[in-house]
Amino acid sequence: MKVAVVGATGAVGREITGILEQRNFPVTEFVPLASARSTGRHVTFRDEDHEVRELSVEALHGVDIALVSVGAPASRSFIPRAAAAGTTCIDNSSAFRMDPDVPLAIPEVNPESLDGSPPPRIVAVANCTTITAMLAVAPLHRAAGLRSLVLSSYQSVSGAGRRGVTELLDQVEKLRGDEESLAQPSAEALPVGDLFGKTIAYNVVAKIGDFEPGGFTGEESKMMAEPRKILGLPDLAVVATSVRVPVLVGHATSILAEFSRPISVEEARAAIDAAPGVELRDDPEHGVYPSPLEAAGIDVALAGRIRQVPDRDDALVLFSCADNLRMGAALNAVHIAEHLFLR
């Protein structure tokens, strides 16, 4: 198949390119595309050098699959026309996630969303934090019927792109040797970047996205809306808090889930252990529980710290982690392509 990676020079685009190669996806022609400022750069695929071309609808002519990792405005500008011309577009942005005519797919969770006839020409990849949570929660929902969710996310700086990583590393360097001053910091002396708005080094920032009416941020709104669509539960009660943490790669979620019937820790462990896309890491007495570094670079989410809510037999607390660039974006996009074209 003729496959385009749109946003090929970005972090997720590079990850998609590597995964296509690692999973031996049947690519007969590889088309790397990006914005005008990246035109002329080169990427390697299967030991061959490919020049990056500027993204346009014309550049997608004859492409079977476009794996897209650009911002929502750019996706909106070209994906409908590319899809109408015959290209299946799998989009990592938020542009089409809540469109009722576009599947919001995690193949390990809701593969039925991809099984329309004819197959969908536009498929939205869920938010990386939503994917991290849903891979852990979906097996429990299938077992006991989910009634409500409270999600708290701890999201790495790479979720904000290369600028986020650079901002953290720059601030760590500026504070090197002066760490003791952070016990009583001078606000004026703290390094603050343009991206996070507050110091991210040695700190956490309880704001991802812009604040919206009601006080939730854009990221929190996504985390509340997307599970309803993915699980087919339009009335599901979901409340979310998203926090940026000084971690390079890997998002984590703390999950409080309420169910329609009693469910024990042992049943929850068994359900997660048998589910695709998630690995049970739940033996705290022996130091076994998820962390972002353990999830980095692997092809599953990690779930553990499963606890019964005191005095409740129908509610559980658990913790999940996943590589936000790989499992939470690039691999999910490739999994969608595999589901659509390789079954």
Side-chain angles (χ1 to χ4, degrees):
M1 285 177 281
K2 187 174 182 179
V3 177
V5 174
V6 181
T9 58
V12 175
R14 294 196 303 271
E15 195 74 31
I16 287 173
T17 299
I19 290 170
L20 290 171
E21 187 168 348
Q22 293 158 15
R23 296 177 72 85
N24 199 29
F25 195 87
V27 180
T28 54
E29 185 176 349
F30 178 73
V31 182
L33 302 173
S35 64
R37 66 178 179 272
S38 295
T39 301
R41 293 173 61 180
H42 290 79
V43 298
T44 302
F45 179 71
R46 292 180 181 163
D47 299 322
E48 292 187 8
D49 196 51
H50 298 264
E51 184 175 345
V52 176
R53 296 161 52 197
E54 184 175 356
L55 169 63
S56 67
V57 174
E58 292 71 27
L60 288 167
H61 179 72
V63 167
D64 297 296
I65 309 169
L67 299 156
V68 182
S69 298
V70 294
S75 287
R76 292 189 192 99
S77 73
F78 78 90
I79 282 180
R81 289 180 292 155
T87 298
T88 297
C89 298
I90 301 171
D91 182 39
N92 272 294
S93 83
S94 62
F96 302 98
R97 287 176 185 157
M98 302 315 298
D99 186 322
D101 297 323
V102 174
L104 180 61
I106 305 172
E108 298 91 337
V109 174
N110 61 336
E112 68 282 354
S113 67
L114 299 171
D115 294 339
S117 181
R121 287 291 190 193
I122 303 174
V123 181
V125 176
N127 176 276
C128 47
T129 313
T130 302
I131 292 172
T132 302
M134 289 299 96
L135 287 168
V137 167
L140 308 181
H141 167 58
R142 289 191 287 267
L146 191 64
R147 287 181 57 195
S148 71
L149 279 176
V150 178
L151 303 173
S152 298
S153 71
Y154 311 88
Q155 299 181 216
S156 65
V157 294
S158 61
R162 270 182 283 186
R163 287 179 59 211
V165 173
T166 299
E167 193 163 301
L168 171 61
L169 296 179
D170 285 349
Q171 291 179 12
V172 169
E173 190 61 34
K174 288 175 181 176
L175 292 167
R176 191 180 305 280
D178 195 32
E179 288 85 356
E180 289 186 8
S181 71
L182 297 176
Q184 291 182 308
S186 167
E188 294 76 17
L190 290 173
V192 177
D194 296 331
L195 191 58
F196 298 124
K198 292 182 182 287
T199 304
I200 186 62
Y202 307 106
N203 198 19
V204 300
V205 178
K207 176 182 178 290
I208 303 178
D210 294 330
F211 287 113
E212 300 178 343
F216 291 97
T217 66
E219 183 75 3
E220 291 160 351
S221 293
K222 296 173 191 175
M223 291 168 58
M224 292 189 287
E226 292 179 21
R228 300 182 184 116
K229 183 173 180 180
I230 291 166
L231 298 176
L233 298 173
D235 298 322
L236 180 69
V238 189
V239 177
T241 300
S242 61
V243 179
R244 189 73 71 188
V245 297
V247 171
L248 293 179
V249 175
H251 289 356
T253 56
S254 175
I255 302 164
L256 168 59
E258 181 185 30
F259 299 93
S260 298
R261 66 159 177 84
I263 179 170
S264 67
V265 170
E266 292 72 22
E267 183 182 358
R269 285 173 175 158
I272 289 173
D273 197 33
V278 60
E279 181 179 309
L280 182 69
R281 297 276 183 98
D282 194 32
D283 188 3
E285 290 184 4
H286 295 92
V288 178
Y289 52 89
S291 72
L293 276 178
E294 291 168 290
I298 65 174
D299 291 352
V300 291
L302 305 179
R305 293 292 322 276
I306 305 172
R307 291 148 282 158
Q308 203 88 47
V309 173
D311 302 319
R312 294 282 302 273
D313 62 4
D314 62 347
L316 297 170
V317 182
L318 62 152
F319 192 73
S320 65
C321 300
D323 185 323
N324 54 296
L325 300 178
R326 187 174 181 88
M327 191 65 196
L331 184 61
N332 194 69
V334 176
H335 278 168
I336 290 169
E338 291 174 339
H339 186 96
L340 289 173
F341 290 93
L342 301 186
R343 288 186 304 157

